[in-house]
Amino acid sequence: MAEKKQEKFDTLKIHAGYDPKEHNYASSVPIYQTVAFGFGDSGRADRLVNFKEKGFSYTRMGNPTTAVLERRIADLDGGADAVAVGSGMAAVSYTILNLAEGGGRIVAAANIYGSSFDEFRTLFPKYGIHFDFIDDINDFDQVESAIKEDTKAIFVESVTNPTTAVTDVAALAQLAHRHGIPLVVDNTFPTPYLFNPIRYGTDIVVYSSTKGISGHGEVISGLIVDAGNFDFSNGRFKQFEEKEFVLGSEEEHEQRSFVEAFGNKAFIARIRIKYLRLFGAVLSPFESYLVLLGIETLSERLAKQVASAKKIAEFLAITPHVKAVQYSGLSDHPQHELVRKYFPRGVGAIFAFEVNGTEEQAKKILDSVKIFSYLPNVGDARSLIVNPGRTTHREIPSVNKKQSGLSNTVIRLSIGLEDVDDLIGDLDQAIHKAFE
Ligand code: PLP
């Protein structure tokens, strides 16, 4: 099943990466709840630990349940290889470290998720990795002028959290490649069902699969997919070309570089062997199983959620106490053409609206909803509501918040699987309460 890449999304989401014959014909992917795997014999042990033979030895570096998830997401995205990690933030962090380890710069959109922005602004500089933030990532002159000798990548979100601004991925990929650097896209909000960044030239895709991919608000997890097209031996990334003890032995003539050992799968192999093995934010087999279970219904969940989101956004757009609806899925949104190009199935089920009133009134809406859950997550089967300026995006400086339209009267919604009319009714009564 794993090799049949020509199959369509809905077949791959159920079968990709899993061959029941190799698992006692179990119909559901078994959970390999084990730390270690027997070497078998000393010859095989030598080959496994030197990465000369594929196989499992220790779950921090790989596990058969997790391997199914990794192959499945790679196939859904059309990538060469993928690796699962312990959270979306681990996926973001390991990707940046793998690209700019030892020092360098990354060009990044300024209107990204709060913790990513905080990490890039305040933590990575302490590791010698510096960021050039771009206010409008679709202003290509601004992006191009920020690229320097030691720039290692461009980092963007395909659809931003929470204002749903859309990034022109194809144009940015071309720009990045002209400068010999890869494009990294955080595709958490659309999930692979709504958008395939690799099809438009993206090199590395990262996910918080905590969100829509798993889809039930029950598992923190992250995924990294490599398209397998970028040449990491182009001279800018010496960490991929240097000889490694871990890929051979102490004898220099036996050592190999990641590019020599893994070819176009070097990026993911390096995350697994350097970052999972040594930094250790591994996803457990049980959590991999939960993410796999979520993926089985990804299309069905997203299709319903997107349809409901559109209806709710349209309702809010004509509600007197709403100043603006921040949802690029609406037909009068300035980015509508870009949305039509990239998102034929809709731009997503998460969006924001600005209350035409005080922050107290916005808080009253949060306190008055009965079906929506007030909590810091998105992409759940349940509908969620939050004030991002005070919570999920609190660590973004106010000047940046202002630029991306994130005031304290902005409310973010993540639409779940409940009846859409009940959801509209819930928002309607909460808004009325806030303004009575
Ligand atoms: N990327 C985006 C776009 C997110 O919205 C989030 C979390 O909200 C993350 C990354 C981090 O994911 P996690 O919470 O799984 O670490």
Side-chain angles (χ1 to χ4, degrees), residues 87-89 92 113 116 157 161 186 188-189 208 210-211 220-221:
S87 69
M89 282 316 298
V92 170
Y113 169 59
S116 301
E157 289 176 3
N161 173 359
D186 181 333
T188 295
F189 266 37
S208 165
T210 309
K211 317 293 180 194
I220 295 274
S221 56

Side-chain angles (χ1 to χ4, degrees), residues 248-293:
S249 74
E250 213 165 344
E251 301 297 325
E252 226 166 278
H253 69 274
E254 288 190 358
Q255 295 178 1
R256 300 172 295 163
S257 72
F258 273 92
V259 168
E260 284 166 347
F262 298 103
N264 79 334
K265 294 184 174 177
F267 190 85
I268 295 296
R270 198 166 187 285
I271 290 200
R272 188 182 300 287
I273 294 168
K274 288 294 187 179
Y275 289 99
L276 274 186
R277 185 173 132 267
L278 303 179
F279 278 12
V282 67
L283 192 66
S284 78
F286 178 61
E287 289 172 312
S288 298
Y289 172 80
L290 292 177
V291 180
L292 279 165
L293 214 53

Side-chain angles (χ1 to χ4, degrees), residues 5 70-71 73-83 95 99 169 173 177 182-185 196-207 223-232 262-269 271:
K5 298 243 177 67
E70 292 167 340
R71 193 61 249 163
I73 191 69
D75 284 358
L76 288 174
D77 263 343
D81 205 1
V83 62
T95 296
L99 288 164
V169 168
H177 297 159
L183 175 67
V184 181
V185 173
N196 179 348
I198 288 176
R199 194 172 145 213
Y200 295 99
T202 298
D203 302 289
I204 311 293
V205 186
V206 297
Y207 291 103
L223 299 166
I224 307 166
V225 185
D226 178 11
N229 299 327
F230 189 82
D231 177 13
F232 285 100
F262 298 103
N264 79 334
K265 294 184 174 177
F267 190 85
I268 295 296
I271 290 200

